[in-house]
Amino acid sequence: MHDIRAIRDNPAAFDKGLTSRGLEPLSEELIALDDARKAAISAAQGAQEKRNALSKEIGAAKKAKDEARAQELMAEVARLKEEAPALDAAADAAGKALSERLSAIPNIPGPDVPEGRDEHGNVEKSRFEGRGLSEDGRQHFELGEAMGLMDFETAAKLSGSRFVVLKGQIARLERALGQFMLDLHTGEHGYTEVVPPLLVRDEAMFGTAQLPKFRDDQFAAVQGSPEMAQESGAPNRWLIPTAEVPLTNLVRESILSEDELPLRFTALTPCFRAEAGAAGRDTRGMLRQHQFSKVELVSITAPERSAEEHDRMLACAEAVLKRLDIPFRVVTLCTGDMGFASTKTYDIEAWLPGQKTYREISSCSVCGDFQARRMEARYRPKEGKGVHYVHTLNGSGVAVGRALIAVMENYQNPDGSITVPSALAPYMGGLTRIEGHR
């Protein structure tokens, strides 16, 4: 959420940030909405102040035995009292209109973010070649189906498209990847493991900016039938699209001390996304599923430490792929390709020999105080007075399903088997090669 006071102080900078994202300038519209909000509040407060003053005059008139004046004043107070609900409602409506407009506007890119219209404007930051960029071999779904351990047909019977059933050794390989990542981030990188709820309320989704802008990309869950839920007034709950939502909201509506920062959380959870805007994209295989597993990283920091924390989070995510010896590159997303809540994002893209290209496996974003304002998450500094909004960061550490794809394709053998990476050996019960049912 944006701070309207900051927009008023520097409308040109705000509009420049929006135009770098390919959006129209909005400062004039927002300042007009804020003016309307202030005028409505002023009218309601002025009417209340007048009522209070007239009430005192009534007492003075009665004391002076001026009954005519007292009756006149009482009639005016009654009229003002009758108008008060409408004035209060107008003030509330004006505040809501401004808030709703602000909540639909993306974060402003940082000054060091490259400008660009789409993914073609992203800038490569670094590479790790690991075991080398092989361009030979099959795609993961061809390998998995040939071994009888990856079943999309049965998943479609159960749930429809964009689901998969994993079996046997590949199912174990996916579990091993998740456990390996958790152990790395908690044991070496200092993150606190959390098992969060998978269903969250509207307020939590709003806090991390999945609502209201991306409602169509989410899966809603209601108790009982939709008709029963509507009649009972039961709140919607949402299946989490990422553990970023519950982990970041752990600090909502709270005031932390600076000594508590940074907070670092990690979780391995299923994630659920409707992929409403992905029709026709990546329809084969596991790259774009409605349900997938991911290890999430979330940091809560003081503002002056967030840039440093962003680089640290990126290094933690990179460590996963380096231990697995998976080739990857890091790109800095341009202004036109960044996520809604982000002020700067690094994407890690793993090399997939089957596709002969790099594909995103992790995004690490710093959001500044954008989410904190939506959640009312603040901290009290050790020096100085008052409270300030924290900065929030999130990243994949990494997407487990996509890591499974990367391992299968980079460790495939000419006979269709898959060598187990040495980093996963402790989690595979001595299994060094996946051969399936061949």
Side-chain angles (χ1 to χ4, degrees), residues 77-98:
V77 167
R79 183 186 68 79
L80 290 170
K81 185 176 182 180
E82 189 173 313
E83 292 177 353
L87 291 171
D88 290 340
D92 289 343
K96 184 178 180 182
L98 176 61

Side-chain angles (χ1 to χ4, degrees), residues 227-291:
E227 295 77 16
M228 289 174 57
Q230 187 173 7
E231 289 175 6
S232 66
N236 266 356
R237 289 186 175 84
W238 303 86
L239 289 166
I240 62 169
T242 163
E244 170 200 346
V245 179
L247 292 183
T248 309
N249 275 277
L250 290 175
V251 297
R252 69 174 296 111
E253 298 171 9
S254 62
I255 299 177
L256 305 166
S257 69
E258 188 174 357
D259 289 336
E260 295 177 80
L261 304 177
L263 295 172
R264 299 183 178 116
F265 303 120
T266 186
L268 168 60
T269 68
C271 304
F272 305 89
R273 294 184 187 171
E275 297 290 353
R281 296 171 58 193
D282 300 316
T283 54
R284 291 295 311 273
M286 290 180 59
L287 268 168
R288 200 176 296 275
Q289 298 270 281
H290 288 314
Q291 175 186 324

Side-chain angles (χ1 to χ4, degrees), residues 182 185-194 247-248 250-251 256 259-267 296-302 305-314 316 391-395:
L182 275 183
H185 294 316
T186 58
E188 297 187 26
H189 298 155
Y191 287 85
T192 298
E193 184 176 353
V194 177
L247 292 183
T248 309
L250 290 175
V251 297
L256 305 166
D259 289 336
E260 295 177 80
L261 304 177
L263 295 172
R264 299 183 178 116
F265 303 120
T266 186
E296 186 72 10
L297 305 175
V298 162
S299 296
I300 313 295
T301 75
R305 298 291 300 275
S306 62
E308 175 188 341
E309 186 70 15
H310 193 202
D311 289 336
R312 181 188 188 277
M313 179 177 285
L314 173 65
C316 293
H391 278 197
T392 62
L393 302 93
N394 63 80

Side-chain angles (χ1 to χ4, degrees), residues 19 39 64 71 79 85 100 107 153 163 172 200 231 233 262 265 290 327 338 357 396 404 427 430-433:
T19 55
Q71 290 299 320
R79 183 186 68 79
E100 287 181 350
N107 204 349
E153 184 177 344
F163 291 91
R172 181 164 190 169
V200 295
E231 289 175 6
F265 303 120
H290 288 314
M338 286 167 42
T357 190
S396 306
L404 176 66
Y427 303 90
L431 188 68
T432 60
R433 195 178 183 92

Side-chain angles (χ1 to χ4, degrees), residues 8 28-41 98:
R8 297 188 78 106
E28 186 175 338
E29 175 190 343
L30 295 169
I31 289 171
L33 286 171
D34 191 41
D35 286 342
R37 178 188 67 86
K38 288 180 176 180
I41 292 173
L98 176 61

Side-chain angles (χ1 to χ4, degrees), residues 332-384:
T332 304
L333 298 193
C334 69
T335 54
D337 198 34
M338 286 167 42
F340 183 85
S342 173
T343 187
K344 184 177 182 180
T345 297
Y346 298 125
D347 267 11
I348 303 176
E349 299 176 345
W351 175 256
L352 301 184
Q355 291 194 6
K356 301 178 177 58
T357 190
Y358 290 97
R359 297 301 297 263
E360 178 204 333
I361 197 168
S362 171
S363 280
C364 295
S365 300
V366 57
C367 300
D369 63 5
F370 187 81
Q371 294 177 325
R373 289 181 178 278
R374 299 168 79 102
M375 298 186 302
E376 283 299 314
R378 296 170 292 171
Y379 78 102
R380 197 180 305 280
K382 288 183 284 189
E383 298 180 1

Side-chain angles (χ1 to χ4, degrees), residues 199-213 215 218-222 233-239 245 249 252-253 374-375:
L199 290 168
V200 295
R201 299 168 66 96
D202 287 359
E203 295 85 349
M205 294 284 276
F206 177 83
T208 45
Q210 277 75 26
L211 293 180
K213 179 75 171 176
R215 181 178 294 268
Q218 316 305 328
F219 282 110
V222 296
N236 266 356
R237 289 186 175 84
W238 303 86
L239 289 166
V245 179
N249 275 277
R252 69 174 296 111
E253 298 171 9
R374 299 168 79 102
M375 298 186 302

